[in-house]
Amino acid sequence: MLRRAIVPAVAVIVIAGLGAYTMFGPNGARAYGDVKRKLAVSERRLVVLNAKRAEWQNKVALLDPRKADPDMVDELTRKKLNVVHPDEMIVPLN
């Protein structure tokens, strides 16, 4: 009788272990709140990065050689080369 009970007992233990892993494992049901919180943080970071990306795309578009914005080119050139006339005053906008 004991031999017949070993296989079902092992099966119950394995199923109980898998059930516990499903509930308490790193990707289990109890970890759902943590995953949801991390997703919210990542989405906020994505919004910030998309805004930065749009800003950089605008700057790149202003520096396109076929239709460059003269003010932007002048500003960047003076900033990089440190070239200013004696009668000019530079007012940083940042």
Side-chain angles (χ1 to χ4, degrees), residues 6-57:
I6 290 177
V7 173
V10 170
V12 167
I13 291 171
V14 169
I15 290 172
L18 290 175
Y21 185 77
T22 301
M23 289 299 295
F24 303 111
N27 295 326
R30 301 237 6 213
Y32 177 72
D34 189 40
V35 170
K36 196 172 181 181
R37 184 175 35 81
K38 287 180 182 179
L39 178 63
V41 169
S42 296
E43 286 175 344
R44 285 192 301 266
R45 185 169 180 235
L46 179 63
V47 168
V48 170
L49 290 174
N50 281 337
K52 280 267 196 208
R53 180 177 181 225
E55 181 182 328
W56 279 103
Q57 283 178 334

Side-chain angles (χ1 to χ4, degrees), residues 40-79:
V41 169
S42 296
E43 286 175 344
R44 285 192 301 266
R45 185 169 180 235
L46 179 63
V47 168
V48 170
L49 290 174
N50 281 337
K52 280 267 196 208
R53 180 177 181 225
E55 181 182 328
W56 279 103
Q57 283 178 334
N58 185 34
K59 283 187 177 185
V60 167
L62 290 174
L63 292 173
D64 185 11
R66 294 171 295 211
K67 55 183 189 307
D69 179 32
D71 290 334
M72 177 66 99
V73 172
D74 185 52
E75 175 188 339
L76 288 176
T77 303
R78 288 174 181 272
K79 191 175 186 180

